[in-house]
Amino acid sequence: MFVDRVLSGMRPTGSLHLGHYHGVLKNWVRLQHEFECYFFVADWHALTTHYDTPEVIERNVWDMVIDWLAAGVDPSQATLFIQSQLPEHAELHLLLSMITPLGWLERVPTYKDQQEKLAEKDLSTYGFLGYPLLQSADILIYRANQVPVGEDQVPHIEFTREIARRFNHIYGREPGFEEKAEAAIKKLGSKRAKVYVEARTRYQEQGDAEALEAARTLIEEAQNLSMGDRERLFGYIEGGGKMILSEPRALLTAASRMPGLDGQKMSKSYNNTITLREDADSVSKKIRTMPTDPARVRRTDPGEPEKCPVWQLHQVYSNDATREWVQKGCRSAGIGCLECKQPVIDSVLEEQRPMRERAQAYLNDPTLVRNIIAEGNEKARELAQETMRDVREAMGLRYT
Ligand code: TRP
Ligand code: SF4
């Protein structure tokens, strides 16, 4: 059966916090059981904005991997690696840059947005302009078809699809393509060949997306095809030529808006975070000193949960009974704010306990983490090298 390949990366620019856990890592942990997953440290991407503070990146790489493992990302289920350990990404980035129109990069919305947001940094660099293309290389080199990202990254996936299409259009042509594709169809066997031809016709005449999916699945499942024939049959569905790079899709997760200690979204830049493995005393203290509804000056003043950031945390962490208790107790001044905060403190600590435990083993023996990454790098390299062989050949760079 054809299994979707999932790939995602994270920039090592700071400690991970509970916002990352609820927004990203929980999702990775779920995906690793369903799909073939590749998760990597995007250290080159971090350098595009932090080129003048490499120590920040250096400090955060291993900590971030430990955070992933602590959150439950399982190296026996998912492949974990570090981008810069696979120079193949850089080679693909370079080769793709040959066919990338400057205007496409300049039009990616994050380009101008980030330049404005990070105005204190000079981001009028070649590297920063190329950020989305480096991301395309990350994705295309593994022929990943599902990319879990947040809303803000969707334009990068769209951009990647356009790059893949352009590449296939320019380099997917070969002499005698039609004849070779027809010969490959015969190799499918008569029953499958018939299904393929019908699906192809339906797609070409009616743009039927399901037919496209069906034909692709059929090719994925066919056992006896060479790589070349496979690419021809993929490409032939749509017309053109060989499909050397495949177009990924964004895998959008329901946006989880994890509230921070002040009620705004939890984010390092708002200084309102609880880090993933923060020690228990610090967590308790942070929550105990959280602001509450300003109307509750005295213990006897009633309050309104809707005006209180603690209530937002109850919505993430508490069950119906506790929420009911908060609503009533707050509005009637039946409970005090410290009392109200205790179940949140307990739940956060409970959530973090297994994370702290899992992390401890890796902190005690750092070689464990190094080995996980070394193994992941090697596994990733196999796939990356296979793609690079095809790409080099298509671009006339085969010298052996
Ligand atoms: N740009 C992504 C972010 O800021 C990180 C990233 C780099 C990435 N390469 C990727 C995500 C490839 C998904 C796939 O979150
Ligand atoms: Fe907020 Fe709870 Fe105090 Fe009400 S009782 S103001 S919800 S902390």
Side-chain angles (χ1 to χ4, degrees):
M1 203 188 69
F2 174 59
V3 178
D4 281 304
R5 188 174 294 145
V6 166
L7 171 119
S8 201
M10 213 187 266
R11 297 154 29 100
T13 53
S15 314
L16 299 193
H17 50 67
L18 293 177
H20 295 107
Y21 178 65
H22 287 271
V24 183
L25 292 174
K26 257 179 17 188
N27 193 36
W28 285 12
V29 170
R30 190 173 49 79
L31 289 168
Q32 70 185 354
H33 301 294
E34 293 169 42
F35 303 110
E36 184 187 337
C37 286
Y38 288 77
F39 300 127
F40 73 97
V41 179
D43 53 349
W44 280 336
H45 275 104
L47 271 178
T48 64
T49 50
H50 290 61
Y51 54 82
D52 53 353
T53 52
E55 65 281 1
V56 172
I57 298 166
E58 211 176 358
R59 180 164 9 100
N60 284 297
V61 168
W62 296 108
D63 257 3
M64 187 166 86
V65 177
I66 294 179
D67 280 338
W68 294 357
L69 297 164
V73 175
D74 177 354
S76 71
Q77 302 275 349
T79 303
L80 311 182
F81 66 97
I82 296 176
Q83 183 184 39
S84 67
Q85 304 275 81
L86 282 115
E88 288 85 353
H89 289 225
E91 184 186 357
L92 184 56
H93 178 221
L94 173 83
L95 292 178
L96 294 176
S97 79
M98 306 301 170
I99 61 157
T100 305
L102 264 185
W104 287 17
L105 285 167
E106 287 160 348
R107 274 198 298 275
V108 175
T110 46
Y111 181 55
K112 291 242 158 59
D113 288 356
Q114 289 294 100
Q115 276 187 336
E116 282 166 23
K117 218 170 134 195
L118 303 174
E120 75 283 2
K121 290 188 177 156
D122 180 6
L123 293 182
S124 49
T125 58
Y126 178 52
F128 187 67
L129 178 67
Y131 186 111
L133 189 63
L134 180 57
Q135 186 163 351
S136 302
D138 298 338
I139 298 167
L140 296 173
I141 206 163
Y142 300 104
R143 297 180 157 121
N145 49 349
Q146 304 276 3
V147 185
V149 285
E151 195 78 59
D152 63 312
Q153 295 286 309
V154 172
H156 292 177
I157 310 303
E158 214 30 67
F159 172 85
T160 302
R161 295 167 62 83
E162 276 163 28
I163 293 292
R165 234 174 280 151
R166 183 164 164 83
F167 186 95
N168 293 333
H169 178 74
I170 298 175
Y171 301 109
R173 307 192 173 280
E174 60 177 344
F177 173 74
E178 298 250 325
E179 292 74 18
K180 286 180 182 162
E182 290 294 339
I185 293 179
K186 295 220 171 71
K187 293 184 197 156
L188 287 171
S190 60
K191 219 168 123 191
R192 286 202 158 145
K194 192 160 163 256
V195 178
Y196 174 86
V197 171
E198 279 170 7
R200 175 173 181 262
T201 310
R202 244 190 308 140
Y203 177 69
Q204 292 197 348
E205 289 178 359
Q206 298 153 34
D208 183 338
E210 262 174 46
L212 176 65
E213 268 312 301
R216 284 185 176 166
T217 311
L218 185 135
I219 303 161
E220 288 291 348
E221 286 171 356
Q223 301 283 331
N224 58 335
L225 291 174
S226 68
M227 208 44 158
D229 277 343
R230 215 175 270 278
E231 288 166 358
R232 283 178 196 106
L233 288 180
F234 271 128
Y236 198 48
I237 307 173
E238 289 162 88
K242 278 187 179 182
M243 195 164 98
I244 302 163
L245 299 176
S246 49
E247 293 178 33
R249 265 190 301 252
L251 188 59
L252 272 180
T253 35
S256 105
R257 188 184 166 281
M258 176 69 188
L261 294 165
D262 57 359
Q264 298 187 82
K265 180 181 151 96
M266 188 177 282
S267 158
K268 190 178 54 167
S269 46
Y270 297 144
N271 206 0
N272 63 359
T273 63
I274 296 174
T275 58
L276 213 70
R277 298 179 267 129
E278 189 152 336
D279 75 81
D281 288 344
S282 169
V283 172
S284 307
K285 187 161 163 231
K286 277 186 178 175
I287 298 177
R288 270 195 264 112
T289 53
M290 269 179 79
T292 61
D293 177 0
R296 297 208 69 182
V297 183
R298 278 173 298 266
R299 165 72 179 74
T300 47
D301 296 329
E304 171 50 52
E306 296 300 333
K307 294 182 184 156
C308 177
V310 179
W311 170 240
Q312 292 193 41
L313 287 180
H314 275 293
Q315 286 174 305
V316 176
Y317 286 103
S318 299
N319 61 22
D320 286 346
T322 306
R323 290 191 206 175
E324 183 71 25
W325 170 78
V326 172
Q327 294 267 345
K328 283 210 175 106
C330 180
R331 293 187 177 126
S332 64
I335 58 173
C337 289
L338 273 180
E339 207 179 330
C340 176
K341 287 169 172 178
Q342 196 55 47
V344 173
I345 296 174
D346 294 341
S347 299
V348 172
L349 293 180
E350 184 62 24
E351 178 172 77
Q352 288 177 316
R353 197 165 41 86
M355 297 203 231
R356 248 185 254 108
E357 280 168 14
R358 273 192 290 258
Q360 199 54 49
Y362 297 111
L363 293 169
N364 293 346
D365 184 0
T367 58
L368 290 176
V369 187
R370 310 272 156 160
N371 288 343
I372 289 168
I373 290 295
E375 232 173 79
N377 288 344
E378 285 323 305
K379 226 174 130 202
R381 201 178 321 278
E382 266 176 48
L383 277 181
Q385 287 184 341
E386 193 180 302
T387 306
M388 286 319 295
R389 271 196 294 275
D390 291 352
V391 168
R392 286 188 208 113
E393 181 184 325
M395 293 182 81
L397 302 169
R398 192 172 50 168
Y399 295 104
T400 51

